[in-house]
């Protein structure tokens, strides 16, 4: 499904810079559904992402209509989701993979986030596309929605 969304974004972006990128409003429920439908394995966590010493966010390129994605090494510090909420202390290395579609790119989230972190073997990866889905602002209502999804409560994505 993620490939389909990215293909749609790329084709939209190729139409020209005059067109704006149109994204659905990010929601815990939508992100939860996307992660659940994926073949990838995800962990859900709340915390902060910090770039490792010496890591810098690179340029995405000089052509505004053909920006290039990148990856940076970081560290996650926070709490992992458990049956009783976000209670397990966690600190681990993280790769932030930033994707671009034409003129639009994701970014490295440096505020406190609710993150859907993909496990790729021994590596932890946070994918940030131009339409944010896997790193949401960790506001109280966002965390409550995640806890509802985790406990089997209402996890229906909002419309629009």
């Amino acid at each position: 499904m993620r490939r389909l969304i990215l293909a749609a974004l790329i084709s939209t972006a190729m139409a020209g810079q005059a067109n704006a990128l149109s994204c659905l409003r990010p929601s815990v429920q939508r992100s939860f559904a996307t992660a659940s439908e994926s073949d990838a394995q995800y962990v859900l966590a709340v915390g902060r992402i910090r770039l490792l010493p010496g890591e810098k966010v690179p340029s995405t390129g000089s052509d505004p209509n053909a920006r290039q994605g990148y990856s940076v090494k970081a560290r996650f510090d926070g709490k992992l989701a458990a049956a009783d909420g976000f209670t397990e202390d966690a600190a681990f290395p993280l790769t932030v993979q930033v994707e671009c579609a034409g003129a639009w790119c994701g970014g490295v989230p440096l505020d406190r986030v609710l993150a859907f972190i993909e496990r790729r073997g021994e590596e932890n990866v946070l994918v940030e596309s131009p339409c944010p889905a896997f790193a949401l602002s960790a506001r109280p209502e966002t965390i409550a929605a995640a806890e509802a999804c985790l406990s089997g409560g209402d996890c229906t994505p909002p419309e629009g």
Side-chain angles (χ1 to χ4, degrees):
M1 181 173 173
R2 193 166 86 201
R3 287 185 203 126
L4 177 64
I5 292 170
L6 187 57
L9 290 175
I10 291 171
S11 66
T12 301
M14 296 301 178
Q17 191 173 3
N19 293 331
L21 180 64
S22 179
C23 299
L24 291 174
R25 181 179 299 170
S27 78
V28 172
Q29 297 87 347
R30 197 171 285 116
S31 298
F32 199 87
T34 301
S36 295
E37 293 168 4
S38 172
D39 290 335
Q41 179 185 14
Y42 289 88
V43 296
L44 190 53
V46 173
R48 293 196 179 275
I49 298 167
R50 300 189 196 295
L51 295 179
L52 294 180
E55 284 287 308
K56 294 183 180 178
V57 173
S59 167
T60 56
S62 58
D63 182 351
N65 288 311
R67 297 188 184 237
Q68 300 297 311
Y70 59 88
S71 292
V72 292
K73 299 294 181 187
R75 176 180 171 85
F76 177 87
D77 290 291
K79 304 269 187 185
L80 291 177
D84 56 345
F86 293 93
T87 56
E88 287 186 39
D89 288 336
F92 50 84
L94 178 71
T95 299
V96 180
Q97 179 182 319
V98 175
E99 297 177 343
C100 298
W104 302 276
C105 296
V108 178
L110 298 176
D111 291 332
R112 190 166 176 263
V113 293
L114 170 71
F116 291 78
I117 299 170
E118 185 179 342
R119 295 283 299 148
R120 295 181 185 169
E122 296 298 313
E123 188 177 18
N124 301 299
V125 180
L126 175 63
V127 178
E128 278 293 273
S129 70
C131 293
F134 292 126
L136 307 172
S137 178
R139 296 184 315 260
E141 61 270 20
T142 305
I143 294 168
E147 289 172 336
C149 288
L150 287 166
S151 67
D154 183 20
C155 198
T156 306
E159 292 184 26

